[in-house]
Amino acid sequence: MARRAIVAANWKMNGDLALVDTMVSGLKSIKLQENVNVVICPSSPYLSALVVKAKAEKLNAAISIGAQNVSEHKNGAFTGEISTQMLQELSVKFVIIGHSERRSCYKETSTQIAHKVNAALIAGLTPILCIGESEAERATEQTETVLAAQLQPVIDEVGIEKFIDVVIAYEPVWAIGTGKTASSEMAQDTHQFIRQFLAQANESVAAKVPLLYGGSVNASNCEELFAQADIDGGLIGGASLQAEQFKIICSAAKGK
Ligand code: 13P
């Protein structure tokens, strides 16, 4: 199997210590298909508790912990920021970078996001690089231009060969938290574009990069989405806060 599947939970600014317990207990009995990784990304105050609980409950080794953001700086006077070293020390393995909420609410630019991806890779963390177009950009047929402009600065900074250690999450902004999922056909077409775009730089790397779909994924639509040729799992928001629903989504993923 050439490509692993990944289902990542992005709790955003939700959840509490009780959810840490419920989620770990719920995932204890999960049966994952071959070549699947699950990543739980809670808010940073809960990372430590989740790591401790996952270890205590001997969670399946295919289940990892991720952060929702990381600083591009090594350390120093950056109040409120979290460094790659801090995440490493907590045994965090993945980090979401460039989520559309970070791009829009906190004005993160594609250049800054490229610096963050670089910092994560240097520290041995797997970046889950998020890209996606707005509703207006989709309506005016700018989707491919926007996605290319989000990807290129990262390729330029880290080099395409390093994408072997990168996960990309395509999240159309208009599908996030709205209940408006992209149709499986539309999602597949866009994932195919992303893979072809990477393939222009390096075909063999492009064939191996897991491409996740995000935006209103739930227990009812995950199977059809994950069955698409270029969709290798999902980045799940709302539905990842409910252990039972999240388990169904994780069980639907399969390496390709
Ligand atoms: P929803 O699944 O709630 O639409 O959120 C998607 C998302 O933004 C995950 O990062």
Side-chain angles (χ1 to χ4, degrees):
M1 244 181 243
R3 220 161 51 223
R4 63 180 168 153
I6 297 177
V7 179
N10 177 8
W11 288 5
K12 309 193 179 185
M13 201 172 70
N14 298 297
D16 49 22
L17 286 173
L19 183 62
V20 168
D21 281 357
T22 318
M23 195 57 68
V24 173
S25 309
L27 291 176
K28 251 189 108 163
S29 58
I30 196 163
K31 298 239 179 323
L32 295 171
Q33 302 196 52
E34 214 182 315
N35 213 7
V36 176
N37 285 140
V38 170
V39 186
I40 316 286
C41 307
S43 288
S44 53
Y46 300 121
L47 280 169
S48 193
L50 188 55
V51 169
V52 169
K53 181 85 181 162
K55 209 180 229 176
E57 299 284 342
K58 298 191 175 59
L59 267 196
N60 183 331
I63 304 176
S64 305
I65 316 289
Q68 295 178 13
N69 185 25
V70 73
S71 172
E72 67 272 38
H73 302 290
K74 237 180 154 164
N75 62 322
F78 300 102
T79 302
E81 292 292 293
I82 301 165
S83 73
T84 53
Q85 198 189 339
M86 293 167 189
L87 297 180
Q88 274 177 311
E89 202 177 2
L90 288 180
S91 307
V92 166
K93 303 284 184 231
F94 289 77
V95 57
I96 297 172
I97 295 179
H99 192 280
S100 64
E101 288 147 20
R102 302 277 337 156
R103 292 178 193 260
S104 66
C105 306
Y106 304 102
K107 309 292 172 232
E108 287 190 10
T109 63
S110 290
T111 308
Q112 185 184 11
I113 288 160
H115 295 336
K116 290 185 178 212
V117 170
N118 195 33
L121 288 170
I122 289 169
L125 296 163
T126 302
I128 302 176
L129 168 64
C130 300
I131 57 174
E133 82 288 0
S134 68
E135 191 154 33
E137 288 161 346
R138 165 75 58 181
T140 51
E141 295 181 3
Q142 292 178 76
T143 300
E144 294 185 358
T145 314
V146 168
L147 298 179
Q150 291 172 341
L151 283 170
Q152 195 60 50
V154 187
I155 298 174
D156 291 344
E157 175 147 347
V158 307
I160 189 68
E161 290 73 22
K162 293 276 172 57
F163 271 67
I164 203 78
D165 297 319
V166 174
V167 175
I168 295 177
Y170 165 61
E171 300 201 306
V173 177
W174 47 270
I176 296 178
T178 57
K180 276 200 239 173
T181 327
S183 67
S184 52
E185 196 184 1
M186 185 195 278
Q188 165 55 24
D189 283 352
T190 313
H191 279 237
Q192 190 178 38
F193 163 76
I194 296 166
R195 201 174 302 283
Q196 282 167 353
F197 184 79
L198 297 174
Q200 286 166 16
N202 186 318
E203 213 165 317
S204 74
V205 169
K208 294 193 183 85
V209 177
L211 301 183
L212 318 185
Y213 170 78
S216 298
V217 178
N218 57 42
S220 319
N221 61 21
C222 59
E223 208 154 329
E224 190 181 330
L225 285 162
F226 296 173
Q228 304 304 311
D230 286 294
I231 301 184
D232 306 307
L235 180 55
I236 322 297
S240 75
L241 299 169
Q242 297 154 33
E244 285 315 307
Q245 185 161 192
F246 185 60
K247 272 170 71 174
I248 295 173
I249 299 171
C250 293
S251 304
K254 198 174 170 183
K256 292 202 166 85

